[in-house]
Amino acid sequence: MGGVNTFWFRAVARLAETGRAFLIVLAAFCACSPAGAFDQKILLVAGDENFPPYEFVDVIDGESVYRGFNVDLLKAVALTTGYEIRFVPMPWSDALRALERGEVDAIGGMKYDRGREKIYDFSEPYMQNSLAIFVRTSMQAINSLDDLGGRKVAVQQNDAAHDRLKNRQVHLLPTLDQKAALELLLKGEAEAVLGNRLTGE
């Protein structure tokens, strides 16, 4: 893998919609949530099991622990609202399906966009974030979304990055999570990854 730096890839672009389209929100509530769920003061909250630093399953003293910024923030919200939050970490695509089927009440840390707003109710935004394109340092031809045309691009399945590219003329390689997408890049099986900037870094 010659021609790469210590991190094996570089983030080549932050997308222009950083401040508008990709505000991360606290939770999304589906209209098909279980009847009376909010009267019980217990909320089942699904989340991505491998999306550091926001939410991820870690092993501490031999025990699996769900942690990250979004998890800590939701715990703080629970303390001030009187709700008990039970976290249900899973792959992101499974979390979306669980919410759609009414098996959980909310998803923590879902990115806002206009298409999703037609399906979900969002809390107030609490963080701005951005997507970035990651490429090997030897790849100088990719510097914007337009440069991805016809190329193999790995994305986390059903993530905002996936939604952003699905109608473009690119060869999409959907993966379980962003780590798997970056691994395809490192192996040379993908020419680029579109994903969350902080997670990728």
Side-chain angles (χ1 to χ4, degrees):
M1 291 190 204
V4 294
N5 65 15
T6 308
F7 296 104
W8 302 100
F9 51 82
R10 64 186 173 101
V12 297
R14 291 187 198 177
L15 301 184
E17 290 79 4
T18 300
R20 180 175 52 83
F22 293 97
L23 292 172
I24 295 180
V25 298
L26 182 61
F29 293 89
C30 181
C32 57
S33 293
F38 305 116
D39 296 332
Q40 299 171 12
K41 290 287 190 177
I42 297 172
L43 295 178
L44 295 179
V45 179
D48 196 326
E49 66 184 6
N50 191 15
F51 192 54
Y54 305 104
E55 49 208 46
F56 55 98
V57 175
D58 200 0
V59 177
I60 300 174
D61 296 328
E63 302 264 341
S64 292
V65 179
Y66 192 49
R67 50 190 299 228
F69 180 77
N70 291 342
V71 175
D72 291 342
L73 189 56
L74 279 165
K75 287 178 179 177
V77 168
L79 288 174
T80 61
T81 60
Y83 281 94
E84 176 186 344
I85 293 180
R86 294 182 185 166
F87 294 101
V88 189
M90 60 184 75
W92 181 249
S93 290
D94 292 348
L96 288 176
R97 282 192 291 270
L99 184 61
E100 289 165 5
R101 292 191 295 252
E103 296 168 359
V104 296
D105 302 305
I107 291 180
M110 180 185 281
K111 296 176 189 71
Y112 168 86
D113 70 29
R114 289 178 182 170
R116 285 176 169 173
E117 188 178 35
K118 296 174 184 176
I119 303 170
Y120 307 109
D121 291 326
F122 285 83
S123 72
E124 291 299 315
Y126 66 90
M127 178 187 294
Q128 282 190 316
N129 208 328
S130 59
L131 294 175
I133 300 168
F134 297 91
V135 297
R136 301 267 302 274
T137 55
S138 57
M139 171 59 76
Q140 299 299 316
I142 297 176
N143 291 291
S144 71
L145 283 179
D146 292 336
D147 297 329
L148 297 177
R151 297 188 181 274
K152 295 179 182 177
V153 183
V155 293
Q156 181 176 8
Q157 187 169 350
N158 294 327
D159 179 62
H162 190 186
D163 293 343
R164 185 71 194 275
L165 292 179
K166 66 185 178 185
N167 295 321
R168 287 182 171 252
Q169 296 299 313
V170 298
H171 182 74
L172 281 178
L173 303 173
T175 62
L176 187 64
D177 53 40
Q178 193 165 321
K179 178 182 178 186
L182 289 168
E183 287 171 350
L184 290 181
L185 178 63
L186 296 179
K187 293 175 185 175
E189 296 176 23
E191 296 171 88
V193 170
L194 183 64
N196 182 277
R197 180 181 61 87
L198 289 179
T199 299
E201 289 177 351

